[in-house]
Amino acid sequence: MPNPIDELRQQRALLQQHLNWLDRKIAELDSTPEPNQLSDEPSKTISTEKISQTLPQITSKPEDPDNIEKFISKYTHSQTDIDRLKLGCIGFFVGAALLFLFILFGLPYLIG
């Protein structure tokens, strides 16, 4: 079984080759090639400077506890809602069972 990290590196290299191919095709259509982007070799290292520039900076403070309680209450249900849902499921099951029994026994009796 291949090593997962090697497989990921291989997939990254293939993606980099595809991106380079796309850059070449775009450059051909634009007729203004960018020399840095036309390399066939995938980049071996990624600078931490590039990574830190692309990561989002978290500058907001935590939300107000009152807002969190409103959010939680919006997506939680009371016990009466859950009981009504259970009752509806039981009713649906009983109705489906009665329909099945009617189709199985009652309908042939009415037709024949």
Side-chain angles (χ1 to χ4, degrees):
M1 186 168 172
N3 190 0
I5 192 77
D6 292 336
E7 191 173 313
L8 289 173
R9 286 181 180 148
Q10 183 182 14
Q11 289 177 3
R12 183 180 185 283
L14 289 172
L15 283 172
Q16 187 64 41
Q17 288 175 356
H18 184 67
L19 288 173
N20 290 335
W21 178 81
L22 285 173
D23 288 338
R24 283 195 307 269
K25 290 297 179 182
I26 290 171
E28 286 174 11
L29 294 175
D30 282 345
S31 71
T32 56
E34 296 178 15
N36 293 341
Q37 299 295 327
L38 297 179
S39 173
D40 281 336
E41 296 181 23
S43 174
K44 297 292 182 191
T45 60
I46 300 174
S47 68
T48 56
E49 198 171 283
K50 282 185 179 180
I51 293 173
S52 64
Q53 289 173 356
T54 59
L55 291 176
Q57 300 297 326
I58 300 172
T59 57
S60 63
K61 59 183 178 182
E63 292 186 26
D64 185 30
D66 294 332
N67 289 339
I68 293 173
E69 291 298 324
K70 289 177 187 175
F71 179 79
I72 290 173
S73 66
K74 187 184 200 181
Y75 292 102
T76 56
H77 301 285
S78 66
Q79 188 62 36
T80 57
D81 290 340
I82 294 171
D83 291 340
R84 286 177 50 205
L85 181 65
K86 286 180 184 177
L87 186 61
C89 289
I90 291 170
F92 180 76
F93 176 74
V94 168
L98 289 174
L99 180 64
F100 174 74
L101 291 174
F102 173 74
I103 291 172
L104 187 64
F105 297 112
L107 196 58
Y109 178 74
L110 291 175
I111 293 174

